Amino acid sequence: MTSPFPFLAIILEVAIIALFGLFVGDEQDQNNYQQPNSTKSTAVDGFLELYPLFQDVHVMIFVGFGFLMTFLKKYGFSSVGINLLIAALGLQWGTLVQGFLHSRGEKIHVGIKNMINADFSTATVLISFGAVLGKISPCQMLIMTIIEIAVFAANEHLVTEVFMASDIGASMTIHAFGAYFGLAVAGVLYRPGLRRGHDNNESMYHSDLFAMIGTLFLWIFWPSFNSALAEAGDKQHWAIVNTYFSLAACVLTAYAFSSLVGHRGKLDMVHIQNATLAGGVAVGTCADMAIHPYISMIIGSIAGMVSVLGFKFVTPLFATKLRIHDTCGVHSLHGLPGVIGGLAGIGAVALEVSNRSTPAMQAAALGSSIGTAVVGGLITGLILKIPICGQPPDENCFDDSVFWEVPRWREQDVRFHEHDGHNQLEPEF
Amino acid sequence: MTSPFPFLAIILEVAIIALFGLFVGDEQDQNNYQQPNSTKSTAVDGFLELYPLFQDVHVMIFVGFGFLMTFLKKYGFSSVGINLLIAALGLQWGTLVQGFLHSRGEKIHVGIKNMINADFSTATVLISFGAVLGKISPCQMLIMTIIEIAVFAANEHLVTEVFMASDIGASMTIHAFGAYFGLAVAGVLYRPGLRRGHDNNESMYHSDLFAMIGTLFLWIFWPSFNSALAEAGDKQHWAIVNTYFSLAACVLTAYAFSSLVGHRGKLDMVHIQNATLAGGVAVGTCADMAIHPYISMIIGSIAGMVSVLGFKFVTPLFATKLRIHDTCGVHSLHGLPGVIGGLAGIGAVALEVSNRSTPAMQAAALGSSIGTAVVGGLITGLILKIPICGQPPDENCFDDSVFWEVPRWREQDVRFHEHDGHNQLEPEF
Amino acid sequence: MTSPFPFLAIILEVAIIALFGLFVGDEQDQNNYQQPNSTKSTAVDGFLELYPLFQDVHVMIFVGFGFLMTFLKKYGFSSVGINLLIAALGLQWGTLVQGFLHSRGEKIHVGIKNMINADFSTATVLISFGAVLGKISPCQMLIMTIIEIAVFAANEHLVTEVFMASDIGASMTIHAFGAYFGLAVAGVLYRPGLRRGHDNNESMYHSDLFAMIGTLFLWIFWPSFNSALAEAGDKQHWAIVNTYFSLAACVLTAYAFSSLVGHRGKLDMVHIQNATLAGGVAVGTCADMAIHPYISMIIGSIAGMVSVLGFKFVTPLFATKLRIHDTCGVHSLHGLPGVIGGLAGIGAVALEVSNRSTPAMQAAALGSSIGTAVVGGLITGLILKIPICGQPPDENCFDDSVFWEVPRWREQDVRFHEHDGHNQLEPEF
């Protein structure tokens, strides 16, 4: 049977192009639309000024998330490849969905903030992708991308426009949302056959190094993620400074607790790849508030610790008790730290560090994000069970060769061996 | 016999330093030269404003092109290493050649746009390098760099100053030019001995992952490439937005067609690494025009499709029928999409989306870029055949050990094995 | 026995948070502090303007230094992982130490320049880390980080505030300092048992490619490193341009001399990974002076040559004659080129290219940087010998499995083999 994947991809792209033709304004108009602030020189009308932050976020989405998931020894092509696919689809679809919600009937005009928001909306799907990594087909991921971004945009609209809650770094609307959505999907798609693990569901030495490329670019550019949409000026600077220190503090506790819970005090790459980022997640909600750097560092320290403990104790528990198998441990990287972020936001507002919102509204935002995610994820999981797009069978999970032409491993190695002798003995220039 | 490579490299560097001493103005003057726009604050006099875009392009040149070519299993050192060498030479030489053409007798002054243009000029050589990858010596590449950049600068001068054609993202002057120049060189240097392929001319699992580093950084920063030299303000924003959407749409069709033409619907890493970038190439010529995002997406979609079909059907045909062996498939990534870009430019001007140029002038620019490239490439190929610099023999093609001290492969692996048991059993902190 | 590592990490983080609470001003004040230049629009008050340069430096610190050191075949986790750990600790501690020295009793306020300086201070430790790589425990590195940054900040204060010397790219205060500090530590910690080398102290094919990721990001962003703290306007532009050309010239001579000193003219990856960066180090001191690009290129050319010769002849000599084993060859990458930078600075000031300083003061700065580094390094080495933190035994040097849970190598390979046959024969979508 031919896979429906290529047809679905083409249909989605054609539909999106048609919707862009209908609902996105042309660039001549956009023009006039963006120029009210024309007293500033064109050079600093906001587009080029935020463009470096956008590019940082762009690197996080495509290199950061993509390589972070290459830790599996035989699933690197899919990790980085399907990541690219769903992010490319997601940013187009996100531009439309968020545009519909904000343009109130007018044409959508694409400025730098729309591009940042579009990239953000894909982050949600990429987080959820981590929960189901290795157990889902590209075709299923296309469907999940379309649904999840729509639900995300609805919740984000509710949080920011109705509850008027603060969540500049999207601890709640992206991280907690993406994690719990993914966990709900993973729960519905649970495979009893993998209860005892799977030979391919582990890393090898070099796949762990590839994953560190992802970790580091996420870590480095996280201050841009948390500040890209902040109010220009002090708030944006605070968002950068708070995230910078929260992440740094988080690294220390993540290493410490990884060693503490490890066999003979050894560090675990899973923790280093993931828990070192929890500080960026947890400081997100109150990143642009004047919370003082030492508070950011406390938030980051707690997040690093909780995340490691989550990976060590909670993620396995989810698999055995709740029948939710979370491949990348997104619950420990995005879920728990996202909740910490939401709670910190409630605290900050309660202590009147910021008075843009109320504790109740912040709590409503957190509840709404988790609730919508769980309900949305459960429904999405049921839709993905409809056997149109074909899931990989249990024995082929975590294996690129189901979807990709994969070069052979060993035969090449042997060939290297023979050539090696040759090369070492008779080099020529 | 000693290789002439080090002597040639030193002679070229000494010559370039001498030419810089003679023809480049000193920094005190440059100063006055750049200050007419001194009403703007120093901070935004154009240098620092464009610097982030320059750095994006810089990453594309050195990491993007360099790692994209590491897909070959035994040629990673040369791919990333010779890429660095020729880009470093090319940017110095490009600064001079482009300076000569634009400074009209005055001293050359190096501003941010010169640096962007210098990096651009190296892109041409790096594209051509892809066509001859694995079959050429570093020494030959130095010679090719010097010749190609001179020819490139002449054609680029013709296109922009004489034909007054639009080509902001350089679909014609860099991509089509670089591809056809490289193909012409590859045709002249054709090796009948490799007609049936070569054991080393294939990827392995991790080399394909290294190549994805290149792909992703090219993909992410392509909007900067297409906009770096655009007119500040709207045109620059459009160039960014159009490229962003063209690339995103391109990914969807590249994946779809890769699956459609693949064995049992499987994706092929060659397509994902390359064809996903065709949208950036093809939208280049009209990126800074008000073409509407949905038109960019149509251009990108077509480019992704054409590029995959090119890799599947045209590249092999070139090897068998035209006796042109194109190692990286630059014809399908840069050649065909570059022509699409040129044609889209003709169309856009004909439809008066932009009236900076005429369809005839755009067509002349496309024709000139391809014609100059083919003639320049043929002559360069003949020069490279002069046996001073020594090509690697057929059996040593695609093999780093001809030019590099390569660590042994297998012996180490075995040693790992022994240590492993030890390490697993007796860890110590 | 439990390792003291996690406890030390937690104690340090708690102490730093407490010091931040006491000595760092809150963000509301910081505000007023930064606003004197409030005639400029908020958008360009210096924070967001320098932020892209900061992020370039940030990438250099975490990806550049981190991956540069992954060249060892079995020490990649530690290279990139301990790099992250000590940089995260160092930037927090550096913010405090540098803040104490500059704030003269007032509260420390964190702006973008503090963040750049904090990242810079970590660079010093990361350079020294290269000298002792593979022979030291994470716990020892925490202690070394705390001491070295304090000594670095004292010397840097002396150089810039007392000697009033120019050293914008920190050739003396970071590169020479970091190298000689590390060498002194390595000398004290000399292991006679490793005199004849160690099986693990070598690269493998893919570890060399991972290292090139580090090299390239360092190379690309070095102009940002040398210009981030330069005076806005011309001086900053010069710093960018001079570094750009110095690095490009350096690549040519590094390749040439690598081939000249190589067996049968072959290139050596050690030289390409390292010596190509020497131009960035050596041009540092006078990067922001109007030295003319061709002078930068001469400085870069010399640095590339000296660095390769250093790796070939001086580094081995240090190991055999001085009993200083320098794992990464930091003497040849940072030490010698740093001294060249210092000398170039003396020359530039003597020739009145810049009159901010005198030749005597520049010489004092160079002497102070090397002297402080050697004395500081010797004392630090003695402290690290105190057997609290436990060095790895000789036979476990250069081996991740001492500190990390490492996935098995061979067993997986074998498993790949079996699956491979399966995958190649029975693909499914």
Side-chain angles (χ1 to χ4, degrees):
Chain A
M1 190 202 78
T2 318
S3 157
F5 166 73
F7 307 103
L8 180 60
I10 292 171
I11 290 167
L12 286 173
E13 188 55 47
V14 170
I16 285 175
I17 291 176
L19 291 170
F20 261 72
L22 290 170
F23 297 109
V24 174
D26 81 14
E27 284 147 330
Q28 296 292 10
D29 301 344
Q30 192 171 330
N31 221 352
N32 312 327
Y33 185 77
Q34 287 203 331
Q35 288 311 56
N37 47 356
S38 61
T39 46
K40 290 195 211 165
S41 97
T42 343
V44 287
D45 69 348
F47 200 107
L48 221 50
E49 186 195 337
L50 286 182
Y51 183 66
L53 283 84
F54 160 73
Q55 277 295 4
D56 294 350
V57 172
H58 217 39
V59 171
M60 293 174 76
I61 298 295
F62 290 90
V63 171
F65 281 106
F67 273 96
L68 184 61
M69 293 187 282
T70 57
F71 71 97
L72 288 170
K73 65 183 181 188
K74 296 180 73 174
Y75 209 62
F77 289 9
S78 301
S79 296
V80 78
I82 302 181
N83 187 84
L84 168 60
L85 173 68
I86 61 188
L89 171 63
L91 71 86
Q92 299 177 70
W93 177 236
T95 304
L96 282 171
V97 175
Q98 296 185 312
F100 291 144
L101 282 168
H102 294 117
S103 66
R104 296 158 205 281
E106 284 179 53
K107 291 263 182 174
I108 300 165
H109 292 282
V110 181
I112 190 75
K113 295 212 170 179
N114 305 59
M115 289 165 63
I116 294 169
N117 268 314
D119 268 34
F120 276 8
S121 68
T122 71
T124 320
V125 187
L126 300 177
I127 292 166
S128 306
F129 181 41
V132 294
L133 190 75
K135 300 167 294 188
I136 201 170
S137 71
C139 193
Q140 287 177 304
M141 276 312 300
L142 293 181
I143 297 169
M144 181 166 138
T145 303
I146 297 296
I147 304 175
E148 182 168 358
I149 285 184
V151 181
F152 156 75
N155 177 61
E156 200 250 354
H157 190 75
L158 190 70
V159 164
T160 56
E161 303 292 319
V162 179
F163 299 144
M164 308 290 282
S166 284
D167 193 24
I168 194 67
S171 306
M172 301 184 285
T173 54
I174 291 180
H175 295 287
F177 180 94
Y180 290 103
F181 192 103
L183 292 170
V185 172
V188 176
L189 300 182
Y190 182 70
R191 292 163 180 264
L194 301 188
R195 208 178 332 113
R196 293 169 190 217
H198 190 295
D199 272 0
N200 291 336
N201 187 15
E202 58 182 37
S203 67
M204 63 184 289
Y205 194 70
H206 280 166
S207 68
D208 270 328
L209 276 179
F210 278 114
M212 282 303 290
I213 299 174
T215 298
L216 290 178
F217 279 104
L218 287 169
W219 198 90
I220 290 166
F221 290 138
W222 213 293
S224 302
F225 190 95
N226 281 357
S227 68
L229 294 176
E231 198 181 295
D234 293 331
K235 287 193 170 41
Q236 195 162 35
H237 308 174
W238 299 343
I240 290 169
V241 171
N242 286 329
T243 309
Y244 179 69
F245 285 120
S246 175
L247 282 163
C250 171
V251 167
L252 273 281
T253 55
Y255 272 79
F257 278 83
S258 180
S259 171
L260 277 178
V261 303
H263 177 64
R264 298 204 190 192
K266 289 193 184 187
L267 298 165
D268 187 331
M269 257 295 172
V270 172
H271 305 154
I272 304 314
Q273 285 158 2
N274 292 283
T276 52
L277 300 168
V281 175
V283 83
T285 298
C286 46
D288 66 338
M289 303 178 189
I291 53 171
H292 199 292
Y294 88 92
I295 300 287
S296 314
M297 292 159 93
I298 292 174
I299 294 174
S301 304
I302 294 172
M305 181 187 71
V306 168
S307 184
V308 168
L309 298 176
F311 275 100
K312 185 75 182 181
F313 303 111
V314 184
T315 301
L317 215 70
F318 266 53
T320 52
K321 300 292 170 198
L322 300 183
R323 299 169 65 91
I324 296 174
H325 178 264
D326 175 4
T327 311
C328 296
V330 300
H331 185 246
S332 300
L333 169 49
H334 300 279
L336 293 173
V339 171
I340 293 174
L343 297 176
I346 296 171
V349 171
L351 296 168
E352 298 193 345
V353 179
S354 164
N355 45 24
R356 275 172 292 173
S357 166
T358 66
M361 286 305 191
Q362 290 294 125
L366 180 58
S368 149
S369 297
I370 295 174
T372 319
V374 170
V375 174
L378 290 173
I379 295 170
T380 305
L382 291 172
I383 294 172
L384 297 183
K385 280 198 125 170
I386 302 171
I388 349 167
C389 281
Q391 280 178 264
D394 283 4
E395 66 272 24
N396 286 352
C397 279
F398 315 109
D399 190 333
D400 278 334
S401 62
V402 188
F403 310 118
W404 299 82
E405 295 289 348
V406 176
R408 300 196 194 179
W409 289 82
R410 298 296 303 162
E411 203 206 27
Q412 287 179 344
D413 279 7
V414 175
R415 238 186 285 135
F416 280 125
H417 189 187
E418 291 159 13
H419 278 246
D420 250 11
H422 172 70
N423 296 336
Q424 294 301 326
L425 295 169
E426 309 169 46
E428 297 179 53
F429 201 76
Chain B
M1 191 201 76
T2 319
S3 158
F5 165 73
F7 306 103
L8 181 60
I10 291 171
I11 290 167
L12 287 174
E13 189 54 49
V14 170
I16 285 174
I17 291 176
L19 292 169
F20 262 72
L22 290 171
F23 298 109
V24 174
D26 83 10
E27 282 147 332
Q28 296 292 9
D29 302 341
Q30 192 171 329
N31 221 349
N32 311 328
Y33 185 77
Q34 288 202 331
Q35 287 311 57
N37 49 354
S38 61
T39 46
K40 290 195 210 164
S41 97
T42 341
V44 287
D45 70 347
F47 200 107
L48 221 51
E49 185 197 339
L50 286 181
Y51 183 67
L53 283 84
F54 160 74
Q55 277 294 4
D56 293 351
V57 172
H58 217 40
V59 171
M60 293 173 75
I61 297 295
F62 290 90
V63 170
F65 280 105
F67 273 96
L68 184 61
M69 294 187 280
T70 57
F71 71 98
L72 288 170
K73 65 183 180 186
K74 295 181 74 175
Y75 210 63
F77 289 10
S78 302
S79 296
V80 78
I82 303 182
N83 187 85
L84 169 59
L85 173 67
I86 61 188
L89 171 63
L91 70 85
Q92 298 177 71
W93 177 237
T95 304
L96 283 172
V97 175
Q98 295 185 314
F100 291 145
L101 282 168
H102 294 117
S103 66
R104 296 158 204 280
E106 285 179 51
K107 291 262 182 176
I108 300 165
H109 292 281
V110 181
I112 190 76
K113 294 210 171 180
N114 305 58
M115 289 166 63
I116 294 168
N117 268 314
D119 268 34
F120 277 8
S121 69
T122 71
T124 319
V125 187
L126 300 177
I127 292 167
S128 306
F129 181 41
V132 295
L133 190 75
K135 300 167 294 188
I136 201 171
S137 71
C139 194
Q140 288 177 303
M141 277 312 301
L142 294 181
I143 297 169
M144 182 166 136
T145 302
I146 297 297
I147 304 175
E148 182 168 358
I149 285 183
V151 182
F152 156 75
N155 176 63
E156 200 248 355
H157 191 74
L158 190 70
V159 164
T160 56
E161 302 293 318
V162 178
F163 299 143
M164 309 289 282
S166 285
D167 194 23
I168 195 68
S171 306
M172 300 184 286
T173 54
I174 291 179
H175 296 287
F177 179 93
Y180 289 104
F181 192 102
L183 292 170
V185 174
V188 177
L189 300 182
Y190 183 71
R191 293 164 180 263
L194 301 188
R195 206 178 330 115
R196 293 168 190 216
H198 189 296
D199 272 0
N200 290 337
N201 187 15
E202 56 182 39
S203 67
M204 64 184 289
Y205 193 71
H206 281 166
S207 69
D208 271 327
L209 275 179
F210 278 114
M212 282 303 289
I213 298 173
T215 299
L216 289 178
F217 279 104
L218 287 170
W219 197 92
I220 290 166
F221 290 138
W222 213 293
S224 302
F225 190 95
N226 281 355
S227 68
L229 295 176
E231 199 181 294
D234 293 331
K235 287 194 172 37
Q236 194 162 35
H237 308 173
W238 298 343
I240 290 169
V241 171
N242 286 328
T243 309
Y244 178 69
F245 286 120
S246 175
L247 282 163
C250 172
V251 168
L252 273 281
T253 55
Y255 272 79
F257 279 84
S258 180
S259 171
L260 276 178
V261 303
H263 177 63
R264 298 200 190 197
K266 287 192 184 187
L267 298 166
D268 187 331
M269 256 295 171
V270 173
H271 305 152
I272 303 316
Q273 284 158 2
N274 292 282
T276 51
L277 300 167
V281 175
V283 84
T285 299
C286 46
D288 67 337
M289 303 176 189
I291 54 172
H292 199 292
Y294 88 93
I295 300 287
S296 314
M297 293 159 92
I298 291 175
I299 294 174
S301 303
I302 293 172
M305 180 186 73
V306 168
S307 184
V308 168
L309 298 176
F311 275 100
K312 184 75 183 179
F313 302 112
V314 183
T315 300
L317 214 70
F318 266 53
T320 52
K321 299 291 171 199
L322 300 184
R323 299 168 64 93
I324 296 173
H325 178 265
D326 175 4
T327 312
C328 297
V330 299
H331 185 247
S332 300
L333 169 50
H334 300 278
L336 293 174
V339 171
I340 294 174
L343 297 176
I346 296 172
V349 172
L351 295 167
E352 298 192 346
V353 178
S354 163
N355 45 26
R356 275 173 292 173
S357 167
T358 66
M361 286 307 190
Q362 290 293 126
L366 180 57
S368 150
S369 297
I370 296 174
T372 319
V374 170
V375 175
L378 290 173
I379 295 170
T380 305
L382 291 172
I383 293 172
L384 296 182
K385 279 198 126 171
I386 301 170
I388 349 167
C389 280
Q391 278 177 266
D394 284 3
E395 66 271 24
N396 285 353
C397 279
F398 314 109
D399 190 333
D400 277 334
S401 63
V402 188
F403 310 118
W404 299 82
E405 294 290 346
V406 176
R408 299 197 194 179
W409 291 82
R410 299 295 304 161
E411 202 207 28
Q412 287 179 344
D413 279 6
V414 175
R415 237 185 284 134
F416 280 124
H417 189 187
E418 291 158 13
H419 278 246
D420 249 13
H422 172 71
N423 295 337
Q424 294 301 324
L425 294 170
E426 307 170 47
E428 296 179 54
F429 202 75
Chain C
M1 189 201 78
T2 318
S3 157
F5 166 73
F7 307 103
L8 180 59
I10 292 171
I11 290 167
L12 287 174
E13 188 55 48
V14 170
I16 285 175
I17 291 176
L19 292 170
F20 262 71
L22 290 171
F23 297 109
V24 173
D26 82 13
E27 282 146 331
Q28 296 292 9
D29 301 343
Q30 191 170 329
N31 222 351
N32 311 326
Y33 185 75
Q34 286 202 329
Q35 289 311 57
N37 48 355
S38 62
T39 47
K40 290 195 212 165
S41 96
T42 343
V44 286
D45 68 348
F47 200 107
L48 221 50
E49 185 197 337
L50 286 181
Y51 183 66
L53 283 83
F54 160 73
Q55 277 293 4
D56 294 350
V57 172
H58 217 38
V59 171
M60 292 174 77
I61 297 295
F62 291 90
V63 170
F65 281 105
F67 273 96
L68 184 61
M69 293 187 281
T70 57
F71 71 98
L72 288 170
K73 65 184 181 186
K74 296 180 75 174
Y75 209 63
F77 289 9
S78 301
S79 296
V80 78
I82 302 180
N83 186 84
L84 168 60
L85 173 67
I86 61 188
L89 171 63
L91 70 86
Q92 298 177 72
W93 177 237
T95 304
L96 282 172
V97 176
Q98 296 185 313
F100 291 145
L101 282 169
H102 294 117
S103 66
R104 296 158 202 281
E106 285 179 52
K107 291 262 182 175
I108 300 166
H109 293 282
V110 181
I112 189 77
K113 294 210 171 182
N114 305 58
M115 289 166 64
I116 294 169
N117 268 315
D119 267 35
F120 276 9
S121 68
T122 70
T124 319
V125 187
L126 300 177
I127 291 167
S128 306
F129 180 41
V132 295
L133 190 75
K135 300 167 293 188
I136 201 171
S137 71
C139 194
Q140 287 177 302
M141 277 312 300
L142 294 181
I143 297 168
M144 182 167 138
T145 302
I146 297 297
I147 304 174
E148 182 168 358
I149 285 184
V151 182
F152 157 76
N155 176 62
E156 200 248 353
H157 191 73
L158 191 69
V159 164
T160 56
E161 304 292 318
V162 179
F163 300 142
M164 309 288 280
S166 284
D167 193 24
I168 194 68
S171 306
M172 301 183 287
T173 54
I174 291 179
H175 295 288
F177 180 94
Y180 289 104
F181 192 102
L183 292 170
V185 173
V188 176
L189 300 182
Y190 183 71
R191 292 164 180 263
L194 300 188
R195 208 179 330 114
R196 294 170 188 215
H198 191 295
D199 273 1
N200 290 337
N201 186 16
E202 57 182 38
S203 67
M204 63 185 290
Y205 194 72
H206 280 166
S207 69
D208 271 326
L209 276 179
F210 278 114
M212 282 303 290
I213 299 174
T215 298
L216 289 178
F217 278 105
L218 287 169
W219 197 93
I220 290 166
F221 291 138
W222 213 293
S224 302
F225 190 95
N226 281 356
S227 68
L229 295 176
E231 199 181 294
D234 293 331
K235 287 195 172 35
Q236 194 162 37
H237 308 174
W238 299 343
I240 290 169
V241 171
N242 286 328
T243 309
Y244 178 69
F245 285 120
S246 176
L247 282 163
C250 171
V251 168
L252 273 281
T253 55
Y255 272 78
F257 278 84
S258 180
S259 172
L260 276 177
V261 304
H263 177 64
R264 300 204 188 193
K266 289 192 183 187
L267 298 165
D268 187 330
M269 257 296 173
V270 173
H271 305 152
I272 303 315
Q273 284 158 3
N274 292 284
T276 52
L277 300 167
V281 175
V283 83
T285 299
C286 46
D288 67 337
M289 303 177 188
I291 52 171
H292 198 293
Y294 88 93
I295 301 288
S296 315
M297 292 159 94
I298 291 175
I299 294 174
S301 303
I302 293 172
M305 182 186 71
V306 168
S307 184
V308 168
L309 298 176
F311 275 100
K312 184 75 183 180
F313 303 110
V314 184
T315 302
L317 215 69
F318 267 52
T320 53
K321 301 291 171 198
L322 300 183
R323 299 168 67 91
I324 296 173
H325 179 265
D326 175 4
T327 312
C328 297
V330 300
H331 184 246
S332 300
L333 169 49
H334 300 277
L336 293 174
V339 171
I340 294 174
L343 297 176
I346 296 172
V349 172
L351 295 168
E352 298 193 347
V353 179
S354 165
N355 45 24
R356 274 172 294 173
S357 166
T358 66
M361 286 306 191
Q362 291 294 126
L366 180 58
S368 149
S369 297
I370 296 174
T372 321
V374 170
V375 175
L378 290 173
I379 296 169
T380 306
L382 291 171
I383 294 171
L384 297 183
K385 279 198 126 171
I386 302 170
I388 349 166
C389 279
Q391 279 178 264
D394 284 3
E395 67 272 24
N396 285 354
C397 279
F398 314 110
D399 190 333
D400 278 334
S401 63
V402 188
F403 309 118
W404 299 82
E405 295 289 346
V406 176
R408 300 198 193 176
W409 291 82
R410 297 296 304 161
E411 202 207 29
Q412 286 178 347
D413 278 7
V414 175
R415 238 186 282 134
F416 279 126
H417 190 187
E418 291 158 13
H419 278 246
D420 250 11
H422 172 71
N423 295 338
Q424 295 300 327
L425 295 169
E426 309 169 46
E428 296 179 53
F429 202 74

